Amino acid sequence: MQSPGKRPVVVVAEDDPIALRMVAAELEAAGCQAVTCSDGIAALEHVAFGERLDALVTDVHMPGSVDGLFLATEVRALRPDLPVVYLSGRSVETRHMVPGSRFLGKPYGIGRLADIVRSVLGAGAEEMEPVRASWSFRLEAERRFLVSGDGWLTASAGCRRLSDGLIANAAGMKVRVRKDGGEAWLTVKGPRAGVVRAEFEWEITTPEADSLLRSLQPGERVEKVRHRVPHGGSVWTVDVFEGDLDGVVLAEVELDREDQEVDLPDWVGREVTGDPRFSQAALRAMEWKTA
């Protein structure tokens, strides 16, 4: 908690000068002292020199050697309990964020950032401790397609094996356990609104994930190989399913914004974004064979 009469100091790292001024103005209006930095290096220097700060607000995608993800990691190494708020107009994988951080997608409503900063500044060290388990929230925007042919294989930049299991599904909300090599996490996804849906994730240990996956009924566990395929300035994921779903190949691309134009590669077929027949539950029921 802040001492009475002291304005909390919030370091803001943002390379867009207009956005930087807007963020600073909102924080100043909320009673904070905003220290503005036009890049990640300047923000890191402020912290490294021992200057006072009570929170960090950083754009994720900044040019140069220090982007928002690297900045937050380095700052947390110096200040383990420092509240961090990420800003971005693009999707960000939560596993790359520091534990207990908050994410605010651009554009956002007036006053929303101030509300989040007040919330994180209002938590004392004891209140922050439980939050340091790795969790974060974001809005996910993506489009999904069937794959036509194997032309994507030559462009694949690598792959990894994933295990996925549906734990709960109710009122449009889904809870999944996912394991990716030595990492594992629980994912809660909200109802889809067009190409956008809310996603909440937190890390768990791989033994915990193995235990949850073993508890699932036969057919509820999905195994797949996920390929990274760069195309047209985006990185697509192509999932090749195994086991009972052998023969299913789906491609997804994450969007920076809901109305983003996407350069479709020639190896994608019909779009199935939001098509319930291509949810994993429907795929397990083999509805995809007649869809």
Side-chain angles (χ1 to χ4, degrees):
M1 296 286 287
Q2 300 303 312
S3 301
K6 276 193 174 183
R7 298 173 67 201
V9 176
V10 180
V11 170
V12 181
E14 169 64 74
D15 64 295
D16 184 324
I18 296 176
L20 182 61
R21 288 197 296 270
M22 292 178 64
V23 169
E26 181 172 349
L27 293 175
E28 292 282 347
C32 300
Q33 177 185 341
V35 176
T36 56
C37 303
S38 59
D39 57 36
I41 293 178
L44 192 55
E45 288 176 346
H46 180 91
V47 181
F49 289 157
E51 299 291 342
R52 180 187 159 205
L53 77 160
D54 300 300
L56 170 68
V57 174
T58 179
D59 186 25
V60 173
H61 303 281
M62 294 184 290
S65 58
V66 179
D67 64 4
L69 297 173
F70 182 85
L71 170 63
T73 300
E74 293 299 303
V75 169
R76 274 290 185 83
L78 299 170
R79 294 281 304 276
D81 295 312
L82 188 76
V84 174
V85 180
Y86 295 99
L87 305 175
S88 182
R90 311 180 195 175
S91 297
V92 180
E93 291 192 33
T94 55
R95 74 195 73 174
H96 295 158
M97 299 180 184
V98 295
S101 58
R102 301 291 296 275
F103 178 86
L104 183 58
K106 300 178 182 178
Y108 52 85
I110 296 174
R112 178 64 178 142
L113 175 61
D115 288 343
I116 291 176
V117 170
R118 286 193 195 97
S119 173
V120 297
L121 287 174
E126 291 183 2
E127 296 172 272
M128 280 293 292
E129 187 63 28
V131 181
R132 293 180 64 186
S134 183
W135 65 267
S136 194
F137 171 83
R138 66 173 180 146
L139 289 177
E140 174 189 68
E142 63 185 16
R143 293 173 65 183
R144 202 176 199 197
F145 297 82
L146 298 177
V147 172
S148 176
D150 57 4
W152 55 273
L153 273 171
T154 56
S156 176
C159 65
R160 61 188 194 273
R161 185 173 299 278
L162 303 179
S163 298
D164 186 302
L166 182 66
I167 297 176
N169 183 7
M173 303 284 290
K174 295 181 180 179
V175 181
R176 294 186 178 280
V177 55
R178 289 179 169 171
K179 182 181 175 183
D180 178 358
E183 297 182 319
W185 57 98
L186 290 177
T187 301
V188 179
K189 292 196 175 189
R192 185 180 294 277
V195 299
V196 178
R197 71 191 310 173
E199 182 178 277
F200 179 81
E201 286 187 340
W202 66 94
E203 289 185 42
I204 59 176
T205 66
T206 51
E208 288 171 335
D210 288 335
S211 177
L212 287 170
L213 288 167
R214 285 194 301 267
S215 72
L216 298 174
Q217 296 297 317
E220 291 182 337
R221 178 169 171 166
V222 172
E223 303 286 342
K224 57 189 175 183
V225 176
R226 172 163 291 179
H227 295 257
R228 294 176 63 257
V229 186
H231 176 82
S234 300
V235 177
W236 290 68
T237 59
V238 176
D239 287 339
V240 180
F241 290 78
E242 300 179 338
D244 291 341
L245 298 182
D246 185 37
V248 179
V249 183
L250 295 173
E252 293 182 355
V253 60
E254 288 200 357
L255 310 178
D256 296 339
R257 60 184 188 279
E258 189 173 354
D259 60 350
Q260 178 184 340
E261 294 291 332
V262 179
D263 179 15
L264 300 181
D266 56 13
W267 41 262
V268 300
R270 177 160 60 95
E271 182 167 5
V272 295
T273 304
D275 188 333
R277 295 172 297 178
F278 290 88
S279 68
Q280 289 193 174
L283 289 173
R284 284 197 301 270
M286 297 301 172
E287 295 179 19
W288 63 274
K289 290 187 174 180
T290 56

